[in-house]
Coordinates of all heavy atoms in Angstrom, one line a residue:
M1 N -58.4 8.5 -29.1 CA -57.8 7.2 -28.9 C -58.1 6.9 -27.4 O -58.1 7.8 -26.5 CB -56.3 7.3 -29.1 CG -55.5 6.1 -28.6 SD -53.8 6.2 -28.7 CE -53.3 7.1 -27.3
R2 N -58.4 5.6 -27.1 CA -58.7 5.2 -25.7 C -57.5 4.6 -25.1 O -56.6 4.0 -25.7 CB -59.8 4.1 -25.8 CG -61.1 4.5 -26.5 CD -62.0 5.5 -25.9 NE -62.7 4.8 -24.8 CZ -63.4 5.5 -23.9 NH1 -63.5 6.7 -23.9 NH2 -64.0 4.8 -22.9
A3 N -57.4 4.8 -23.7 CA -56.3 4.3 -23.0 C -56.7 4.1 -21.5 O -57.6 4.8 -21.1 CB -55.1 5.2 -23.1
A4 N -56.0 3.2 -20.9 CA -56.2 3.0 -19.4 C -55.3 4.0 -18.8 O -54.0 4.0 -19.0 CB -55.8 1.6 -19.0
T5 N -55.8 5.0 -18.0 CA -55.1 6.0 -17.4 C -55.2 6.0 -15.9 O -56.2 5.5 -15.3 CB -55.6 7.4 -17.9 OG1 -56.9 7.6 -17.5 CG2 -55.4 7.5 -19.4
N6 N -54.2 6.6 -15.3 CA -54.2 6.7 -13.7 C -53.8 8.2 -13.5 O -52.8 8.7 -13.8 CB -53.0 5.8 -13.1 CG -53.3 4.4 -13.4 OD1 -54.2 4.0 -14.0 ND2 -52.4 3.6 -12.8
D7 N -54.7 8.8 -12.8 CA -54.5 10.3 -12.4 C -53.9 10.3 -10.9 O -53.6 11.4 -10.5 CB -55.8 11.0 -12.4 CG -56.3 11.2 -13.8 OD1 -55.5 11.1 -14.7 OD2 -57.5 11.6 -14.0
R8 N -53.9 9.2 -10.2 CA -53.4 9.1 -8.8 C -53.0 7.7 -8.5 O -53.3 6.8 -9.2 CB -54.5 9.6 -7.9 CG -55.8 8.7 -7.9 CD -56.9 9.3 -7.1 NE -58.1 8.7 -7.2 CZ -58.6 7.8 -6.5 NH1 -58.0 7.4 -5.4 NH2 -59.8 7.2 -6.7
Y9 N -52.2 7.6 -7.4 CA -51.8 6.3 -7.1 C -53.0 5.6 -6.3 O -53.7 6.3 -5.6 CB -50.6 6.4 -6.1 CG -49.3 6.8 -6.8 CD1 -48.6 8.0 -6.4 CD2 -48.7 6.1 -7.8 CE1 -47.5 8.4 -7.0 CE2 -47.5 6.4 -8.4 CZ -46.9 7.6 -8.0 OH -45.8 8.0 -8.7
G10 N -53.0 4.3 -6.3 CA -54.0 3.6 -5.5 C -54.3 2.2 -6.0 O -53.6 1.7 -6.8
P11 N -55.3 1.6 -5.5 CA -55.8 0.3 -5.9 C -56.2 0.2 -7.3 O -56.4 1.3 -8.0 CB -56.9 -0.1 -4.9 CG -57.5 1.3 -4.5 CD -56.4 2.2 -4.6
P12 N -56.5 -1.0 -7.8 CA -56.9 -1.1 -9.2 C -58.1 -0.2 -9.7 O -58.1 0.2 -10.8 CB -57.3 -2.6 -9.4 CG -56.6 -3.2 -8.3 CD -56.5 -2.3 -7.2
D13 N -59.0 0.1 -8.8 CA -60.1 1.0 -9.2 C -59.8 2.4 -9.6 O -60.6 3.2 -10.0 CB -61.3 0.9 -8.2 CG -61.0 1.4 -6.9 OD1 -59.8 1.6 -6.5 OD2 -61.9 1.7 -6.1
V14 N -58.5 2.8 -9.4 CA -58.1 4.2 -9.8 C -57.9 4.3 -11.3 O -57.8 5.4 -11.8 CB -56.9 4.8 -9.0 CG1 -57.1 4.8 -7.5 CG2 -55.6 4.0 -9.4
A15 N -57.7 3.1 -11.9 CA -57.4 3.1 -13.4 C -58.8 3.4 -14.1 O -59.8 2.8 -13.7 CB -56.9 1.8 -13.8
R16 N -58.7 4.2 -15.1 CA -59.9 4.5 -15.9 C -59.6 4.4 -17.3 O -58.5 4.7 -17.8 CB -60.4 6.0 -15.6 CG -60.7 6.3 -14.2 CD -62.1 5.9 -13.8 NE -62.4 6.3 -12.5 CZ -62.5 5.6 -11.5 NH1 -62.3 4.3 -11.6 NH2 -62.9 6.0 -10.3
V17 N -60.6 4.1 -18.1 CA -60.4 4.1 -19.6 C -60.9 5.5 -20.1 O -62.0 5.9 -19.8 CB -61.2 3.0 -20.3 CG1 -61.2 3.2 -21.8 CG2 -60.7 1.7 -19.9
T18 N -60.0 6.3 -20.7 CA -60.3 7.6 -21.1 C -59.8 7.9 -22.5 O -59.0 7.1 -23.1 CB -59.7 8.7 -20.1 OG1 -58.3 8.5 -20.1 CG2 -60.2 8.5 -18.7
D19 N -60.1 9.0 -23.1 CA -59.6 9.4 -24.4 C -58.3 10.2 -24.1 O -58.3 11.1 -23.3 CB -60.6 10.4 -25.1 CG -61.8 9.5 -25.5 OD1 -61.6 8.4 -26.1 OD2 -62.9 10.0 -25.5
V20 N -57.3 9.9 -24.9 CA -56.0 10.6 -24.9 C -55.7 10.8 -26.3 O -56.1 10.2 -27.2 CB -54.9 9.8 -24.1 CG1 -55.3 9.6 -22.6 CG2 -54.7 8.5 -24.8
P21 N -54.8 11.9 -26.5 CA -54.3 12.2 -27.9 C -53.5 11.0 -28.5 O -52.8 10.3 -27.8 CB -53.5 13.3 -27.8 CG -53.7 13.9 -26.4 CD -54.2 12.8 -25.6
K22 N -53.8 10.7 -29.8 CA -53.0 9.7 -30.4 C -51.6 10.2 -30.7 O -51.4 11.4 -31.0 CB -53.6 9.4 -31.8 CG -52.9 8.3 -32.6 CD -53.6 8.1 -33.9 CE -52.9 7.1 -34.8 NZ -53.4 7.0 -36.1
P23 N -50.6 9.3 -30.5 CA -49.2 9.8 -30.7 C -48.9 10.2 -32.0 O -49.5 9.5 -33.0 CB -48.3 8.5 -30.2 CG -49.2 7.5 -30.0 CD -50.6 7.9 -30.0
R24 N -48.1 11.2 -32.3 CA -47.7 11.6 -33.6 C -46.4 10.9 -34.0 O -45.6 10.7 -33.2 CB -47.4 13.1 -33.6 CG -48.6 14.0 -33.4 CD -48.3 15.4 -33.6 NE -49.4 16.3 -33.3 CZ -49.4 17.6 -33.4 NH1 -48.2 18.2 -33.8 NH2 -50.5 18.3 -33.3
V25 N -46.4 10.5 -35.2 CA -45.2 9.8 -35.7 C -44.1 10.9 -35.9 O -44.3 12.0 -36.3 CB -45.5 9.1 -37.1 CG1 -45.7 10.1 -38.2 CG2 -44.4 8.2 -37.4
R26 N -42.9 10.5 -35.4 CA -41.7 11.4 -35.5 C -40.6 10.8 -36.4 O -40.7 9.6 -36.7 CB -41.2 11.6 -34.1 CG -42.1 12.3 -33.2 CD -41.4 12.6 -31.9 NE -42.4 13.2 -31.0 CZ -42.2 13.3 -29.6 NH1 -41.2 12.7 -29.0 NH2 -43.1 13.9 -28.9
D27 N -39.7 11.6 -36.8 CA -38.6 11.1 -37.6 C -38.0 9.9 -36.9 O -37.6 9.9 -35.8 CB -37.5 12.1 -37.9 CG -38.0 13.2 -38.8 OD1 -39.0 13.0 -39.5 OD2 -37.3 14.2 -39.0
G28 N -37.7 8.8 -37.7 CA -37.0 7.6 -37.1 C -37.9 6.8 -36.3 O -37.4 5.9 -35.7
Q29 N -39.2 7.1 -36.2 CA -40.1 6.3 -35.2 C -41.3 5.8 -36.0 O -41.5 6.2 -37.2 CB -40.6 7.1 -34.1 CG -39.5 7.5 -33.2 CD -40.0 8.3 -32.0 OE1 -41.2 8.8 -32.0 NE2 -39.2 8.5 -31.0
V30 N -42.0 4.8 -35.4 CA -43.2 4.3 -36.0 C -44.3 4.4 -34.9 O -44.0 4.4 -33.7 CB -43.1 2.8 -36.5 CG1 -42.1 2.7 -37.6 CG2 -42.7 1.9 -35.3
V31 N -45.6 4.5 -35.4 CA -46.7 4.4 -34.5 C -47.3 3.0 -34.7 O -47.5 2.6 -35.8 CB -47.7 5.5 -34.7 CG1 -49.0 5.3 -33.9 CG2 -47.2 6.9 -34.4
V32 N -47.6 2.3 -33.5 CA -48.0 1.0 -33.6 C -49.5 0.9 -33.1 O -49.7 1.5 -32.0 CB -47.2 0.0 -32.8 CG1 -47.7 -1.4 -32.7 CG2 -45.8 0.0 -33.4
R33 N -50.4 0.3 -33.8 CA -51.7 0.0 -33.2 C -51.6 -1.2 -32.3 O -51.3 -2.3 -32.8 CB -52.7 -0.2 -34.4 CG -54.1 -0.5 -33.8 CD -55.2 -0.6 -34.9 NE -54.7 -1.3 -36.2 CZ -54.8 -2.6 -36.3 NH1 -55.3 -3.3 -35.4 NH2 -54.3 -3.2 -37.4
V34 N -51.8 -1.0 -31.1 CA -51.6 -2.1 -30.1 C -52.7 -3.1 -30.2 O -53.8 -2.8 -30.1 CB -51.5 -1.5 -28.7 CG1 -51.4 -2.6 -27.6 CG2 -50.4 -0.5 -28.5
E35 N -52.2 -4.4 -30.4 CA -53.2 -5.6 -30.4 C -53.2 -6.3 -29.0 O -54.2 -6.8 -28.6 CB -52.7 -6.5 -31.5 CG -52.7 -5.9 -32.9 CD -54.0 -5.9 -33.6 OE1 -54.8 -6.7 -33.2 OE2 -54.2 -5.0 -34.4
A36 N -52.1 -6.3 -28.4 CA -51.9 -6.9 -27.0 C -50.9 -6.2 -26.2 O -50.0 -5.7 -26.8 CB -51.6 -8.4 -27.2
T37 N -51.1 -6.1 -24.9 CA -50.3 -5.6 -24.0 C -50.2 -6.4 -22.7 O -51.2 -7.1 -22.4 CB -50.6 -4.1 -23.7 OG1 -49.6 -3.5 -22.9 CG2 -51.9 -4.0 -23.0
A38 N -49.1 -6.3 -22.1 CA -49.0 -7.1 -20.8 C -49.3 -6.1 -19.6 O -48.9 -5.0 -19.6 CB -47.5 -7.6 -20.6
V39 N -50.0 -6.6 -18.7 CA -50.2 -5.9 -17.4 C -49.4 -6.7 -16.4 O -49.7 -7.8 -16.0 CB -51.6 -5.9 -16.9 CG1 -51.8 -5.2 -15.6 CG2 -52.5 -5.3 -18.0
T40 N -48.2 -6.1 -16.0 CA -47.2 -6.8 -15.2 C -47.3 -6.4 -13.7 O -48.0 -5.4 -13.4 CB -45.8 -6.5 -15.7 OG1 -45.6 -5.1 -15.5 CG2 -45.7 -6.9 -17.2
S41 N -46.5 -7.1 -12.9 CA -46.5 -6.7 -11.5 C -45.8 -5.4 -11.3 O -46.2 -4.7 -10.4 CB -45.7 -7.8 -10.7 OG -44.3 -7.9 -11.2
A42 N -44.9 -5.0 -12.3 CA -44.3 -3.7 -12.2 C -45.4 -2.6 -12.5 O -45.4 -1.6 -11.7 CB -43.2 -3.5 -13.2
D43 N -46.3 -2.8 -13.4 CA -47.4 -1.9 -13.6 C -48.3 -1.7 -12.3 O -48.7 -0.6 -12.0 CB -48.3 -2.4 -14.8 CG -47.6 -2.4 -16.1 OD1 -46.8 -1.4 -16.4 OD2 -47.8 -3.3 -16.9
A44 N -48.6 -2.8 -11.7 CA -49.4 -2.8 -10.5 C -48.6 -2.1 -9.3 O -49.2 -1.3 -8.6 CB -49.7 -4.3 -10.1
R45 N -47.4 -2.3 -9.2 CA -46.6 -1.6 -8.2 C -46.5 -0.1 -8.5 O -46.6 0.7 -7.6 CB -45.1 -2.1 -8.1 CG -45.1 -3.5 -7.5 CD -43.6 -3.9 -7.4 NE -43.4 -5.2 -6.8 CZ -43.3 -5.4 -5.5 NH1 -43.3 -4.3 -4.7 NH2 -43.2 -6.6 -5.0
I46 N -46.3 0.3 -9.7 CA -46.3 1.7 -10.1 C -47.6 2.4 -9.8 O -47.8 3.4 -9.2 CB -45.9 1.9 -11.5 CG1 -44.4 1.5 -11.7 CG2 -46.0 3.4 -11.9 CD1 -44.0 1.4 -13.1
R47 N -48.7 1.7 -10.3 CA -50.1 2.3 -10.1 C -50.4 2.4 -8.6 O -51.0 3.4 -8.2 CB -51.1 1.4 -10.7 CG -52.5 1.9 -10.6 CD -53.6 0.9 -10.6 NE -53.3 -0.5 -10.4 CZ -53.1 -1.2 -9.3 NH1 -53.3 -0.5 -8.1 NH2 -52.9 -2.4 -9.2
G48 N -50.0 1.5 -7.8 CA -50.3 1.6 -6.4 C -49.3 2.2 -5.5 O -49.5 2.3 -4.3
A49 N -48.2 2.7 -6.1 CA -47.1 3.2 -5.4 C -46.6 2.3 -4.2 O -46.3 2.6 -3.2 CB -47.4 4.6 -4.8
N50 N -46.6 1.1 -4.7 CA -46.2 0.0 -3.7 C -44.8 -0.4 -4.1 O -44.5 -1.5 -4.7 CB -47.2 -1.2 -3.9 CG -46.9 -2.4 -3.0 OD1 -46.1 -2.2 -2.0 ND2 -47.5 -3.5 -3.2
F51 N -43.8 0.3 -3.7 CA -42.4 0.2 -4.0 C -41.7 -0.6 -3.0 O -42.0 -0.5 -1.8 CB -41.8 1.5 -4.3 CG -42.4 2.3 -5.3 CD1 -43.0 3.5 -5.0 CD2 -42.6 1.9 -6.6 CE1 -43.7 4.3 -5.9 CE2 -43.2 2.6 -7.6 CZ -43.8 3.9 -7.2
P52 N -40.7 -1.4 -3.3 CA -40.0 -2.2 -2.4 C -39.3 -1.3 -1.3 O -38.9 -0.1 -1.6 CB -38.8 -2.9 -3.1 CG -39.4 -2.9 -4.5 CD -40.2 -1.6 -4.7
A53 N -39.1 -1.8 -0.1 CA -38.5 -1.1 1.0 C -37.1 -0.6 0.5 O -36.4 -1.2 -0.1 CB -38.3 -2.0 2.2
G54 N -36.9 0.7 0.9 CA -35.7 1.3 0.5 C -35.6 2.0 -0.8 O -34.7 2.7 -1.2
F55 N -36.6 1.7 -1.7 CA -36.7 2.3 -3.0 C -37.9 3.3 -3.1 O -38.1 3.9 -4.3 CB -37.0 1.2 -4.1 CG -35.7 0.3 -4.3 CD1 -35.6 -0.9 -3.5 CD2 -34.7 0.7 -5.2 CE1 -34.5 -1.7 -3.7 CE2 -33.6 -0.2 -5.4 CZ -33.5 -1.3 -4.6
A56 N -38.6 3.6 -2.1 CA -39.8 4.4 -2.2 C -39.4 5.8 -2.7 O -40.1 6.4 -3.6 CB -40.5 4.5 -0.8
V57 N -38.4 6.5 -2.1 CA -38.1 7.8 -2.4 C -37.5 7.9 -3.9 O -38.0 8.7 -4.6 CB -37.0 8.4 -1.5 CG1 -36.5 9.8 -1.9 CG2 -37.6 8.5 0.0
V58 N -36.7 7.0 -4.3 CA -36.1 7.0 -5.6 C -37.3 6.7 -6.6 O -37.4 7.4 -7.7 CB -35.0 6.0 -5.7 CG1 -34.6 5.9 -7.2 CG2 -33.9 6.4 -4.9
S59 N -38.1 5.8 -6.3 CA -39.2 5.4 -7.2 C -40.2 6.6 -7.3 O -40.7 6.8 -8.5 CB -40.0 4.2 -6.6 OG -39.1 3.1 -6.6
R60 N -40.5 7.3 -6.3 CA -41.4 8.4 -6.4 C -40.8 9.6 -7.2 O -41.5 10.2 -8.0 CB -41.8 9.0 -5.0 CG -42.7 8.2 -4.2 CD -44.1 8.3 -4.8 NE -45.1 7.6 -3.9 CZ -46.1 8.1 -3.4 NH1 -46.4 9.3 -3.5 NH2 -47.0 7.3 -2.7
L61 N -39.5 9.7 -7.1 CA -38.8 10.7 -7.9 C -38.8 10.3 -9.4 O -39.1 11.2 -10.3 CB -37.4 10.9 -7.5 CG -37.2 11.6 -6.2 CD1 -35.7 11.6 -5.7 CD2 -37.7 13.1 -6.2
L62 N -38.7 9.0 -9.6 CA -38.7 8.5 -11.0 C -40.1 8.5 -11.6 O -40.3 8.9 -12.8 CB -38.1 7.1 -11.1 CG -38.0 6.5 -12.4 CD1 -37.0 7.2 -13.3 CD2 -37.5 5.0 -12.2
F63 N -41.1 8.0 -10.9 CA -42.4 7.8 -11.5 C -43.4 8.9 -11.1 O -44.5 8.9 -11.7 CB -42.9 6.4 -11.0 CG -42.2 5.3 -11.5 CD1 -41.4 4.5 -10.7 CD2 -42.2 5.0 -12.8 CE1 -40.7 3.4 -11.2 CE2 -41.4 3.9 -13.3 CZ -40.7 3.1 -12.5
G64 N -43.1 9.8 -10.1 CA -44.0 10.8 -9.8 C -44.2 10.9 -8.3 O -44.4 9.9 -7.7
I65 N -44.1 12.1 -7.7 CA -44.1 12.3 -6.3 C -45.5 12.1 -5.8 O -45.8 11.3 -4.9 CB -43.5 13.6 -5.9 CG1 -42.1 13.6 -6.3 CG2 -43.7 13.9 -4.4 CD1 -41.4 15.0 -6.1
R66 N -46.5 12.9 -6.3 CA -47.9 12.8 -5.7 C -48.8 12.0 -6.6 O -49.9 11.5 -6.1 CB -48.4 14.3 -5.6 CG -47.6 15.0 -4.6 CD -48.4 16.2 -4.2 NE -47.6 16.8 -3.1 CZ -47.3 18.1 -3.0 NH1 -47.6 18.9 -3.9 NH2 -46.7 18.6 -1.9
R67 N -48.5 11.8 -7.8 CA -49.3 11.0 -8.8 C -48.4 10.5 -9.8 O -47.3 11.0 -10.0 CB -50.5 11.8 -9.3 CG -50.1 13.0 -10.2 CD -51.2 13.8 -10.7 NE -50.9 14.8 -11.6 CZ -50.4 15.9 -11.4 NH1 -50.1 16.3 -10.1 NH2 -50.1 16.8 -12.3
P68 N -48.8 9.5 -10.6 CA -48.0 9.0 -11.7 C -47.7 10.1 -12.7 O -48.5 10.8 -13.1 CB -48.8 7.9 -12.3 CG -49.8 7.5 -11.2 CD -50.1 8.7 -10.5
R69 N -46.4 10.1 -12.9 CA -45.9 11.1 -14.0 C -46.5 10.8 -15.3 O -46.8 11.7 -16.1 CB -44.4 11.1 -14.0 CG -43.7 12.1 -14.8 CD -42.2 12.0 -14.7 NE -41.7 11.8 -13.4 CZ -41.3 12.8 -12.5 NH1 -41.5 14.0 -12.8 NH2 -40.9 12.5 -11.3
R70 N -46.5 9.5 -15.6 CA -47.1 9.0 -16.9 C -48.5 8.5 -16.6 O -48.7 7.6 -15.9 CB -46.3 7.9 -17.5 CG -44.8 8.3 -17.7 CD -44.7 9.2 -18.9 NE -43.3 9.4 -19.2 CZ -42.8 10.3 -19.9 NH1 -43.7 11.2 -20.4 NH2 -41.6 10.5 -20.1
R71 N -49.5 9.1 -17.2 CA -50.9 8.7 -17.0 C -51.2 7.3 -17.5 O -52.0 6.6 -17.0 CB -51.9 9.8 -17.6 CG -51.9 11.0 -16.8 CD -52.9 12.0 -17.3 NE -54.2 11.4 -17.4 CZ -55.0 11.6 -18.4 NH1 -54.8 12.4 -19.4 NH2 -56.2 11.0 -18.4
V72 N -50.6 7.0 -18.7 CA -50.8 5.7 -19.3 C -49.6 4.8 -19.0 O -48.5 5.1 -19.4 CB -50.9 5.8 -20.9 CG1 -51.2 4.5 -21.5 CG2 -52.1 6.9 -21.2
L73 N -49.9 3.8 -18.3 CA -48.8 2.9 -17.9 C -48.7 1.8 -19.0 O -49.3 1.8 -20.0 CB -49.1 2.2 -16.5 CG -49.2 3.2 -15.4 CD1 -49.5 2.4 -14.0 CD2 -47.9 4.0 -15.2
G74 N -47.8 0.8 -18.7 CA -47.6 -0.3 -19.6 C -46.3 -0.1 -20.4 O -46.0 0.9 -20.9
S75 N -45.5 -1.2 -20.5 CA -44.3 -1.1 -21.2 C -44.1 -2.1 -22.3 O -43.3 -1.9 -23.2 CB -43.1 -1.2 -20.2 OG -43.1 -2.4 -19.5
A76 N -44.7 -3.2 -22.3 CA -44.6 -4.3 -23.3 C -45.9 -4.3 -24.1 O -47.0 -4.2 -23.7 CB -44.4 -5.6 -22.6
F77 N -45.7 -4.5 -25.5 CA -46.8 -4.5 -26.4 C -46.5 -5.4 -27.6 O -45.3 -5.6 -27.9 CB -47.2 -3.0 -26.8 CG -46.1 -2.4 -27.6 CD1 -46.1 -2.5 -29.1 CD2 -45.0 -1.8 -27.1 CE1 -45.0 -2.0 -29.8 CE2 -43.9 -1.2 -27.9 CZ -44.0 -1.4 -29.3
S78 N -47.6 -5.7 -28.4 CA -47.4 -6.2 -29.7 C -48.6 -5.6 -30.5 O -49.6 -5.3 -30.0 CB -47.5 -7.7 -29.7 OG -48.7 -8.2 -29.4
G79 N -48.3 -5.5 -31.8 CA -49.3 -4.9 -32.7 C -48.9 -4.7 -34.1 O -48.0 -5.5 -34.6
V80 N -49.5 -3.8 -34.8 CA -49.3 -3.6 -36.3 C -48.9 -2.2 -36.5 O -49.5 -1.2 -35.9 CB -50.6 -3.9 -37.0 CG1 -50.4 -3.6 -38.5 CG2 -51.0 -5.4 -36.8
V81 N -47.8 -2.0 -37.3 CA -47.4 -0.6 -37.6 C -48.5 0.1 -38.4 O -49.0 -0.4 -39.4 CB -46.1 -0.7 -38.4 CG1 -45.6 0.7 -38.9 CG2 -45.0 -1.3 -37.7
A82 N -48.9 1.3 -37.8 CA -49.9 2.1 -38.4 C -49.4 3.3 -39.2 O -50.0 3.7 -40.2 CB -50.9 2.6 -37.3
E83 N -48.2 3.8 -38.7 CA -47.6 5.0 -39.4 C -46.1 4.8 -39.3 O -45.6 4.3 -38.3 CB -48.0 6.3 -38.8 CG -49.5 6.7 -38.9 CD -49.7 8.0 -38.1 OE1 -49.1 9.0 -38.5 OE2 -50.6 7.9 -37.3
V84 N -45.4 5.3 -40.4 CA -43.9 5.2 -40.4 C -43.4 6.6 -40.6 O -43.8 7.3 -41.5 CB -43.4 4.3 -41.5 CG1 -41.9 4.3 -41.5 CG2 -43.9 2.9 -41.3
G85 N -42.5 7.0 -39.7 CA -42.0 8.4 -39.8 C -40.8 8.5 -40.8 O -40.3 7.5 -41.2
A86 N -40.6 9.7 -41.2 CA -39.5 9.9 -42.1 C -38.2 9.4 -41.5 O -38.1 9.6 -40.2 CB -39.4 11.4 -42.5
K87 N -37.3 8.9 -42.2 CA -36.0 8.4 -41.7 C -36.1 7.1 -40.8 O -35.2 6.6 -40.2 CB -35.3 9.4 -40.9 CG -35.0 10.7 -41.6 CD -34.2 11.7 -40.7 CE -34.1 13.0 -41.4 NZ -33.5 14.0 -40.6
A88 N -37.4 6.5 -40.7 CA -37.6 5.2 -40.1 C -37.3 4.1 -41.1 O -37.9 4.1 -42.1 CB -38.9 5.1 -39.6
E89 N -36.4 3.3 -40.8 CA -36.0 2.2 -41.7 C -36.3 0.9 -41.1 O -36.2 0.7 -39.9 CB -34.5 2.4 -42.0 CG -34.1 3.7 -42.7 CD -32.6 3.8 -43.0 OE1 -31.9 2.8 -42.8 OE2 -32.2 4.8 -43.4
G90 N -36.6 0.0 -42.0 CA -36.8 -1.4 -41.5 C -38.3 -1.8 -41.2 O -38.5 -3.0 -41.0
H91 N -39.2 -0.9 -41.2 CA -40.6 -1.2 -41.0 C -41.5 -0.5 -42.0 O -41.1 0.5 -42.5 CB -41.0 -0.8 -39.6 CG -40.3 -1.5 -38.5 ND1 -40.5 -2.8 -38.2 CD2 -39.3 -1.0 -37.6 CE1 -39.7 -3.2 -37.2 NE2 -39.0 -2.1 -36.8
A92 N -42.6 -1.2 -42.3 CA -43.6 -0.6 -43.2 C -45.0 -0.7 -42.6 O -45.2 -1.6 -41.7 CB -43.5 -1.4 -44.6
V93 N -45.9 0.1 -43.0 CA -47.2 0.0 -42.5 C -47.8 -1.4 -42.7 O -47.6 -2.0 -43.8 CB -48.1 1.0 -43.2 CG1 -49.6 0.9 -42.9 CG2 -47.7 2.5 -42.9
G94 N -48.4 -1.9 -41.7 CA -48.9 -3.3 -41.8 C -48.0 -4.4 -41.2 O -48.4 -5.5 -41.0
D95 N -46.7 -4.1 -40.9 CA -45.8 -5.0 -40.3 C -46.3 -5.4 -38.9 O -46.7 -4.4 -38.1 CB -44.4 -4.4 -40.2 CG -43.7 -4.4 -41.4 OD1 -44.2 -4.9 -42.5 OD2 -42.5 -3.8 -41.5
E96 N -46.2 -6.6 -38.5 CA -46.5 -7.0 -37.1 C -45.2 -6.9 -36.3 O -44.2 -7.3 -36.8 CB -47.0 -8.5 -37.1 CG -48.3 -8.6 -37.8 CD -48.8 -10.1 -37.8 OE1 -48.0 -11.1 -37.6 OE2 -50.0 -10.3 -38.0
V97 N -45.3 -6.2 -35.2 CA -44.2 -5.9 -34.3 C -44.5 -6.2 -32.9 O -45.6 -6.3 -32.5 CB -43.7 -4.5 -34.5 CG1 -43.2 -4.3 -36.0 CG2 -44.8 -3.5 -34.2
C98 N -43.4 -6.3 -32.1 CA -43.6 -6.3 -30.6 C -42.4 -5.5 -30.1 O -41.4 -5.4 -30.7 CB -43.6 -7.7 -30.1 SG -42.1 -8.7 -30.3
G99 N -42.6 -5.0 -28.9 CA -41.5 -4.3 -28.3 C -41.8 -3.8 -26.8 O -42.9 -4.3 -26.3
M100 N -40.9 -3.0 -26.4 CA -41.1 -2.5 -25.1 C -40.8 -1.0 -25.1 O -39.8 -0.6 -25.9 CB -40.1 -3.2 -24.1 CG -40.4 -4.6 -23.8 SD -39.5 -5.4 -22.6 CE -40.2 -4.7 -21.1
V101 N -41.5 -0.2 -24.4 CA -41.3 1.3 -24.3 C -40.5 1.7 -23.1 O -40.2 2.9 -23.0 CB -42.6 2.0 -24.5 CG1 -43.1 1.8 -25.9 CG2 -43.6 1.7 -23.4
G102 N -40.2 0.9 -22.3 CA -39.4 1.2 -21.1 C -40.0 2.2 -20.2 O -41.2 2.1 -20.0
F103 N -39.2 3.1 -19.6 CA -39.8 4.1 -18.7 C -40.7 5.1 -19.4 O -41.3 5.8 -18.7 CB -38.6 4.8 -17.9 CG -38.0 3.9 -16.9 CD1 -36.6 3.6 -17.1 CD2 -38.6 3.4 -15.9 CE1 -36.0 2.8 -16.2 CE2 -38.0 2.6 -14.9 CZ -36.7 2.3 -15.1
A104 N -40.7 5.1 -20.7 CA -41.6 6.1 -21.4 C -43.0 5.7 -21.1 O -43.9 6.5 -21.2 CB -41.3 6.1 -22.9
M105 N -43.3 4.4 -20.9 CA -44.6 3.9 -20.6 C -45.6 4.2 -21.8 O -45.1 4.7 -22.8 CB -45.2 4.4 -19.3 CG -44.4 4.2 -18.1 SD -44.5 2.4 -17.7 CE -43.7 2.4 -16.1
G106 N -46.8 3.8 -21.7 CA -47.8 4.2 -22.7 C -48.4 3.0 -23.4 O -49.2 3.1 -24.3
A107 N -48.0 1.7 -23.2 CA -48.4 0.6 -23.9 C -49.9 0.1 -23.6 O -50.5 -0.7 -24.3 CB -47.5 -0.6 -23.7
H108 N -50.5 0.7 -22.6 CA -51.9 0.4 -22.2 C -52.8 1.3 -22.9 O -53.7 1.9 -22.3 CB -52.1 0.4 -20.7 CG -51.4 -0.6 -20.0 ND1 -51.3 -0.6 -18.6 CD2 -50.7 -1.7 -20.4 CE1 -50.7 -1.6 -18.1 NE2 -50.2 -2.3 -19.2
A109 N -52.6 1.5 -24.3 CA -53.4 2.4 -25.0 C -53.6 1.8 -26.4 O -53.0 0.7 -26.7 CB -52.6 3.7 -25.2
E110 N -54.4 2.4 -27.2 CA -54.7 1.8 -28.6 C -53.5 2.0 -29.5 O -53.3 1.2 -30.4 CB -55.9 2.5 -29.2 CG -57.2 2.1 -28.5 CD -58.4 2.8 -29.2 OE1 -58.5 4.1 -29.1 OE2 -59.2 2.1 -29.8
Y111 N -52.8 3.0 -29.3 CA -51.6 3.3 -30.1 C -50.4 3.7 -29.2 O -50.5 4.3 -28.2 CB -51.8 4.5 -31.1 CG -52.8 4.2 -32.2 CD1 -54.2 4.4 -32.0 CD2 -52.4 3.6 -33.4 CE1 -55.1 4.1 -32.9 CE2 -53.3 3.3 -34.4 CZ -54.7 3.5 -34.1 OH -55.6 3.3 -35.1
V112 N -49.2 3.3 -29.7 CA -47.9 3.6 -29.0 C -46.9 3.9 -30.0 O -47.0 3.5 -31.2 CB -47.5 2.5 -28.0 CG1 -47.1 1.2 -28.8 CG2 -46.4 2.9 -27.1

């Protein structure tokens, strides 16, 4: 699976498209094939470690001290359900969905 990844903090050119493992479906969850994702100012701030004054230390602890803790950024997505886990209710393969993954990140990938 392809994804935009960041191995270090810095300007936009630190982002690379690389192969990463496809997420496994878990009980109560679905895997979505991402059709569209948002690249927000928050993504740019995290990638560049450009945190607001007074929040740098807390942000580094949350997002990674020396490099981003999550290699694949992105929190908002829309797409199509590709797999449905056991105990997942309300969705079926082929359903169009949208959502946010929050601090888990990972929406800048083919699957989330």
